[in-house]
Amino acid sequence: DYASSECVICLDLIEIPLEEGPVDDDPEEAKDPAQDAIQISCGHWFHHDCLRRLAESTISGWSQTFTNKTNPRLTIPCPHAPCCAYQGELEPHLLKTLVAPALFQTYLDTTLTHFIHHDPFNELRRCPNPQCNFVVRH
C-alpha cells in the first residue's frame, strides 16, 4: 500500500510506501526505479532520481562555493528547507548509494578539505604523503 505526496524537487506525485519491507506489487506493473521513493533523515520523501540529480549537481558545484568562509560545513540540505524543522540533510551513507563512486570520493575529499580549511585554530593539515587521507595537527 502507498500514500501519495508531492516531490518538491520535480513537483510530480510520489508514492510513499506505508509499510517497511517488501511490498507485493503486481509484476505486470513494474515500477520505474528512478521513481522509487526515498526518505531522508528529517522524514521527508523524494524520488530517488530527483535526489540523485540534486546530489550530483550540488557536489559538482562545490568548487564554486568552497571559498565561502561563512559556511563551516558542506552539506546538502533537505529540499524542504527552510520549512524543514529538523534541518535535515543528505547524509554520507545515503550519498554513497545515490552517486557514482568517483563523485562520492569527490564529496569525501571536498568535505575533508573544507573541514581543514575552516579549522578555527588553523592547526589541521592533510598528511604530506599523497597516498594518505589522514588529517594531522600541525
Side-chain angles (χ1 to χ4, degrees):
D1 290 335
Y2 294 92
S4 291
S5 185
E6 183 179 71
C7 174
V8 298
I9 298 173
C10 69
L11 304 179
D12 283 341
L13 284 180
I14 185 169
E15 291 183 339
I16 300 170
L18 295 176
E19 298 177 5
E20 299 239 350
V23 178
D24 293 330
D25 284 332
D26 182 355
E28 299 287 324
E29 296 180 27
K31 291 183 143 250
D32 178 1
Q35 296 299 312
D36 286 345
I38 190 166
Q39 186 178 35
I40 65 172
S41 61
C42 60
H44 290 120
W45 289 86
F46 305 93
H47 291 125
H48 181 275
D49 196 46
C50 293
L51 276 184
R52 180 188 54 77
R53 286 189 311 246
L54 174 71
E56 289 172 348
S57 66
T58 302
I59 294 168
S60 298
W62 273 348
S63 62
Q64 305 297 319
T65 61
F66 181 73
T67 57
N68 180 358
K69 294 214 178 238
T70 61
N71 181 9
R73 295 176 57 210
L74 286 180
T75 59
I76 303 175
C78 170
H80 273 276
C83 68
C84 180
Y86 299 107
Q87 299 301 312
E89 61 186 54
L90 277 66
E91 296 171 336
H93 65 87
L94 177 59
L95 289 172
K96 188 174 185 176
T97 67
L98 288 173
V99 300
L103 192 58
F104 185 69
Q105 188 60 50
T106 298
Y107 162 79
L108 293 175
D109 293 342
T110 304
T111 54
L112 180 62
T113 302
H114 190 75
F115 175 76
I116 293 167
H117 184 73
H118 286 84
D119 170 29
F121 303 107
N122 201 25
E123 295 178 342
L124 301 178
R125 304 281 185 271
R126 281 191 182 264
C127 175
N129 179 348
Q131 302 301 317
C132 179
N133 286 324
F134 286 103
V135 175
V136 295
R137 188 169 288 188
H138 179 68

